[in-house]
Amino acid sequence: MTTKTKLILIGILTLIVAVLAYPKEDSLLHKIGFKHSHLQVREGLDLQGGAHLVYQADLTQTKASDQAAAMASLKDVITKRVNSVGTSETNVQQLGSDKIIVELPGVTDVTAAENLIGQTANLVFLEIDPKTQGASDTGISGKDVQKATADFDPQSGQPIVTLQMKSGDSTKRFGQVTTRINQTGTQLLTLLDQDPIFGPATVSSPITDGKAQLSGNFDVKTAKRIAQLINAGALPVPIHPVQQQTVGPTLGRESVRHSLVAGVIGLGVVALFMIMYYRLAGVVAVAALGIYTALTLTIYKLSAFTPYGIVLTLAGIAGFILSIGMAVDANILIFERMKEELRAGKSFVAAVEAGFDRAWPSIRDSNVSTLITCVILYSFSSSIPIIRGFAVTLGLGVVISMFTAVVVSRTFLRGIIMTKVGKNPKLYGLKLEESPK
Amino acid sequence: MNIIGRRRIWYSISLAVILPGLISLVVFHLKLGIDFKGGSLLEIQGGGNASAITAQAKTLGFQDVTVTSGSGEHLLIRYRDPGSPDQAEARHKEFKAALATTGLSEISYSTIGSSVSRDITRNALLAIAAASFAIVCYVAFAFRNAPPPVSPWSFGVTAIIALLHDAFFVLGVFSLLGHFFGIEVDALFVTAVLTVIGFSVHDTIVVFDRIRENLRRERASFETVVNDSILETFARSINTSLTVLLTLLALFLFGGESIRYFVLALLVGVASGTYSSIFNASPLLVSWHNYKLKRAKARP
């Protein structure tokens, strides 16, 4: 590839990332025909305010072989419950082998959230009158269910959920209700946590053995999940809160504003320093730094569409700002080498190439050692999200900065030395007596 | 400039700077925050009367109550709830309501149970140990082709000594800050120490890389080669640190309150890392080399 082609490609890349990184990119994208595009850097709880809760599951009464399944259904039950509150972007995650993290952005009343998480799964059977659409409670609930199983309908092959009522009173009452529904021509509706999972449907014959079949139009996965939730009834294992954090929305906003100001000032001071010290090469570094920043922000925004969405926290912003410093380091290493080669009397073309080649081992080794630190931070910090955020942004920054320093800066310098102005040694901070011949 | 020839001076400066912190570490330890020992931290808005708040907290049965002023009108209240974690939220709510009657509103709250904080402490120590070990191995691997007279492992080991220098400097400074100003270390502090470790090695490797390159070309004595290498990379070391320190300074002065001490730890560590990569790591290579020579000569 010629330098010219590379410059054009970098130009195109710059244009794309500049548009995507722009804070109001949706209005820009709208103008060129993309509708409904809304990209956003996902903010952590410490930035947007909200509650972060960690629960410890008490697995002492659970057999070792059942613990993983118990944790999975615990996570399911809690997810369902927090989602029913209707706040967006809630996040429930398993932490280690026996903890659950619940993140509720925008929720500052932890007590309300805690009450909700502590509730039992709510299975309700309603009797519906098809004429009036009026619903009445049958008095039968999840508490009457002994066991739920995901199964297949022997006739249609459709996934179904079968329920076994508790023997005795529960089975008897269920028999009475179904008998009544069967005779009066009303319908049975089954709700799980307020969502209809079966019916409303007529009951073809009274069910006196306590065995009910729920056949909604669900797939195998849904059937299994429903069975799991009903079985969970109450939470499958007792849980205790062990960690809690709430951040007021104003505090979070303040932190974002402060950090952004710090970032802009930091970038500005570094740019000024680079241009004053390395002159024309400094301008190249600043351009590369600009592309670096836009590229990084674009990746933050686009990562939200992948399973590895980056959530920006205050520590993450610090990692990003620190990575700016490291991005500049690669440029400094290259420019210092280039100046040495120029002093030694090499031509501009030779000096640029030698500068990059000689600086590369240092850039590679020093950045790999930082990446090692990031990987270790990431893997040891599953219980410390604040550290995880820092490791991700710093690591990503190191990788992207290697690209911008080695590809973008190099191409720019190659382009510049092709021009007449670009061959003036004074523009690189060299004294005249050090000029190349 | 002869940096290597004056290496005793640089070692003495390092010792003089690190020793007070080390003594403080042994005598006072670090002042651990709730991340490491469990407890609750509450930030409230509106200046309140510290002793009245403390009294209020104590009536609820909270222990180890301390009230300190944060930035501006903010107050930080730390306490430990000796009761069961299941009821802690109810007691916190009661406390919040009591504070609200005196016009104080809560802006952030965090609480960590002691079992979680034990996990965090263990993971933090493991992370630091694992990172140091991985870095020695990587440096030794990266310098596996280094020409004689130095072995790849001596590059790794001297890099680690420089790294420990920086880590202990930061720990010492925060031990002193903890004792005299009540500044606590939290999980974020571990991040800062690990970053300092990473940065320290980053810096040291650049100088080592030049030594490796010059050893292949120059026919001068080892001392001269190392000294030349330090001088040749001097401008880069200073300029890089300057840009990192400038961004950190911006964060320190204008960044969010909650990361202020984290940034301070990074500032202190990065400055120390620059010093150690120039004045400790490479001179130590020479000291080590000379020591080995002396031993070899002493042998019959």
Side-chain angles (χ1 to χ4, degrees):
Chain A
M1 237 191 287
T2 62
T3 305
K4 212 173 160 188
T5 332
K6 276 193 189 164
L7 277 173
I8 292 169
L9 285 178
I10 290 173
I12 295 170
L13 175 78
T14 309
L15 202 68
I16 294 171
V17 296
V19 169
L20 292 181
Y22 183 69
K24 293 194 183 85
E25 89 294 327
D26 45 348
S27 60
L28 284 181
L29 287 175
H30 199 83
K31 277 184 194 140
I32 51 171
F34 288 98
K35 280 166 194 155
H36 313 297
S37 61
H38 190 60
L39 304 173
Q40 207 172 15
V41 178
R42 275 182 61 197
E43 290 176 351
L45 287 176
D46 56 345
L47 295 184
Q48 57 170 320
H52 172 100
L53 310 160
V54 181
Y55 286 96
Q56 165 92 55
D58 181 1
L59 294 170
T60 47
Q61 304 298 315
T62 314
K63 271 189 286 174
S65 55
D66 296 343
Q67 288 184 352
M71 287 307 288
S73 75
L74 179 64
K75 193 186 144 193
D76 261 359
V77 174
I78 294 178
T79 308
K80 188 97 202 231
R81 284 175 199 176
V82 291
N83 283 343
S84 70
V85 206
T87 54
S88 57
E89 303 262 329
T90 54
N91 179 23
V92 181
Q93 267 182 301
Q94 186 173 341
L95 177 68
S97 60
D98 60 350
K99 293 195 189 72
I100 297 274
I101 297 183
V102 183
E103 290 198 314
L104 305 164
V107 172
T108 43
D109 185 3
V110 190
T111 320
E114 286 224 299
N115 287 344
L116 176 90
I117 292 165
Q119 261 175 21
T120 52
N122 202 5
L123 184 71
V124 194
F125 296 90
L126 295 179
E127 187 179 346
I128 309 271
D129 183 349
K131 284 175 212 129
T132 60
Q133 288 298 311
S136 55
D137 194 358
T138 58
I140 295 172
S141 73
K143 288 195 187 95
D144 296 301
V145 177
Q146 171 83 34
K147 192 171 163 43
T149 339
D151 218 334
F152 291 95
D153 185 76
Q155 274 141 34
S156 66
Q158 282 284 319
I160 51 165
V161 178
T162 56
L163 298 181
Q164 175 62 60
M165 295 294 155
K166 285 179 182 158
S167 56
D169 180 52
S170 295
T171 298
K172 208 174 107 199
R173 279 193 293 123
F174 192 62
Q176 285 163 356
V177 167
T178 48
T179 310
R180 187 174 73 232
I181 290 176
N182 176 248
Q183 284 162 357
T184 56
T186 53
Q187 295 178 324
L188 184 69
L189 175 66
T190 312
L191 298 175
L192 182 68
D193 286 349
Q194 259 104 69
D195 284 336
I197 54 164
F198 171 74
T202 51
V203 175
S204 48
S205 59
I207 305 168
T208 48
D209 59 354
K211 276 202 180 108
Q213 274 189 7
L214 306 180
S215 54
N217 253 329
F218 28 70
D219 55 10
V220 187
K221 240 170 86 185
T222 318
K224 276 192 181 150
R225 193 174 53 84
I226 289 172
Q228 215 169 30
L229 281 171
I230 297 172
N231 280 335
L235 296 167
V237 285
I239 54 172
H240 311 283
V242 282
Q243 190 180 342
Q244 236 184 57
Q245 206 182 353
T246 54
V247 176
T250 43
L251 186 67
R253 260 201 300 280
E254 229 170 84
S255 309
V256 178
R257 202 169 44 85
H258 283 312
S259 305
L260 282 180
V261 169
V264 170
I265 292 175
L267 262 171
V269 175
V270 167
L272 203 67
F273 171 80
M274 288 299 284
I275 292 174
M276 273 165 53
Y277 197 90
Y278 293 104
R279 311 288 167 87
L280 193 55
V283 175
V284 168
V286 172
L289 201 60
I291 295 175
Y292 164 78
T293 309
L295 187 59
T296 310
L297 287 176
T298 303
I299 290 177
Y300 286 170
K301 283 183 172 182
L302 294 181
S303 77
F305 298 108
T306 72
Y308 308 99
I310 292 163
V311 180
L312 205 59
T313 59
L314 206 49
I317 293 182
F320 171 58
I321 294 179
L322 193 63
S323 73
I324 292 175
M326 296 199 169
V328 178
D329 177 48
N331 281 297
I332 291 178
L333 274 166
I334 294 163
F335 297 158
E336 285 294 333
R337 281 295 191 149
M338 204 182 120
K339 275 163 79 170
E340 273 174 47
E341 303 294 331
L342 286 173
R343 279 194 202 106
K346 283 202 180 153
S347 72
F348 273 95
V349 176
V352 166
E353 297 311 316
F356 277 91
D357 292 341
R358 292 271 166 79
W360 173 244
S362 315
I363 296 175
R364 180 197 58 207
D365 289 348
S366 55
N367 281 327
V368 169
S369 74
T370 305
L371 277 179
I372 289 176
T373 316
C374 289
V375 169
I376 289 171
L377 271 178
Y378 186 83
S379 48
F380 278 87
S381 60
S382 62
S383 57
I384 322 172
I386 195 168
I387 295 184
R388 218 160 226 220
F390 178 79
V392 170
T393 52
L394 182 60
L396 195 67
V398 167
V399 173
I400 301 173
S401 73
M402 273 161 92
F403 165 76
T404 50
V406 175
V407 178
V408 177
S409 297
R410 182 184 210 154
T411 310
F412 281 172
L413 276 176
R414 278 178 180 161
I416 282 172
I417 54 169
M418 290 196 295
T419 66
K420 209 172 165 195
V421 187
K423 289 195 181 104
N424 183 350
K426 272 199 268 182
L427 289 175
Y428 296 90
L430 282 175
K431 294 193 189 79
L432 268 180
E433 60 268 26
E434 296 172 343
S435 311
K437 283 153 231 153
Chain B
M1 205 164 63
N2 188 358
I3 288 175
I4 291 297
R6 299 202 184 89
R7 58 183 181 273
R8 296 239 160 85
I9 299 178
W10 315 130
Y11 298 158
S12 315
I13 291 175
S14 285
L15 275 182
V17 173
I18 284 185
L19 223 50
L22 275 184
I23 294 169
S24 167
L25 258 182
V26 172
V27 180
F28 308 130
H29 311 294
L30 284 165
K31 195 169 166 60
L32 299 177
I34 62 167
D35 289 346
F36 298 113
K37 49 170 211 197
S40 301
L41 175 66
L42 212 134
E43 189 173 357
I44 55 170
Q45 197 158 35
N49 183 321
S51 55
I53 294 171
T54 311
Q56 215 158 32
K58 282 190 174 151
T59 57
L60 282 165
F62 297 153
Q63 293 174 352
D64 305 333
V65 184
T66 56
V67 181
T68 47
S69 53
S71 63
E73 289 277 85
H74 295 180
L75 279 182
L76 294 170
I77 307 167
R78 292 177 177 82
Y79 64 81
R80 204 165 50 75
D81 187 330
S84 81
D86 289 312
Q87 278 123 44
E89 177 48 33
R91 277 188 295 267
H92 160 235
K93 197 155 194 195
E94 213 176 310
F95 187 41
K96 197 168 135 182
L99 289 172
T101 57
T102 51
L104 304 172
S105 61
E106 177 184 292
I107 49 176
S108 81
Y109 167 70
S110 54
T111 183
I112 295 183
S114 54
S115 68
V116 176
S117 60
R118 262 199 305 278
D119 269 9
I120 292 178
T121 312
R122 203 195 57 220
N123 283 343
L125 292 174
L126 270 176
I128 291 183
S132 313
F133 178 73
I135 286 169
V136 184
C137 292
Y138 179 72
V139 173
F141 171 76
F143 286 83
R144 66 194 179 283
N145 296 326
V150 276
S151 77
W153 287 105
S154 60
F155 281 106
V157 173
T158 45
I160 289 298
I161 296 175
L163 171 165
L164 290 174
H165 169 278
D166 305 327
F168 277 109
F169 183 56
V170 176
L171 289 172
V173 166
F174 273 78
S175 167
L176 287 167
L177 285 175
H179 184 71
F180 292 107
F181 300 99
I183 291 164
E184 295 181 340
V185 298
D186 52 13
L188 210 47
F189 178 75
V190 180
T191 309
V193 172
L194 277 157
T195 311
V196 165
I197 287 173
F199 187 85
S200 170
V201 178
H202 187 112
D203 228 17
T204 306
I205 284 178
V206 175
V207 187
F208 280 3
D209 180 65
R210 188 56 82 101
I211 294 174
R212 170 173 62 183
E213 190 185 323
N214 284 342
L215 277 175
R216 290 197 187 118
R217 291 193 304 202
E218 280 184 55
R219 290 273 152 254
S221 74
F222 186 58
E223 279 194 40
T224 316
V225 171
V226 174
N227 201 55
D228 288 351
S229 307
I230 295 175
L231 293 181
E232 283 164 21
T233 49
F234 204 79
R236 172 268 158 195
S237 295
I238 299 296
N239 286 351
T240 294
S241 302
L242 219 54
T243 54
V244 175
L245 288 174
L246 286 173
T247 40
L248 286 173
L249 204 63
L251 263 184
F252 183 72
L253 295 175
F254 309 104
E257 178 66 28
S258 49
I259 51 170
R260 179 143 301 167
Y261 291 110
F262 166 67
V263 176
L264 181 67
L266 287 176
L267 268 172
V268 170
V270 167
S272 169
T274 308
Y275 180 88
S276 70
S277 67
I278 299 174
F279 297 104
N280 291 141
S282 309
L284 275 172
L285 273 179
V286 174
S287 296
W288 188 343
H289 175 65
N290 289 351
Y291 172 74
K292 275 205 299 201
L293 278 185
K294 240 203 301 212
R295 272 221 330 214
K297 268 189 198 146
R299 255 180 236 145

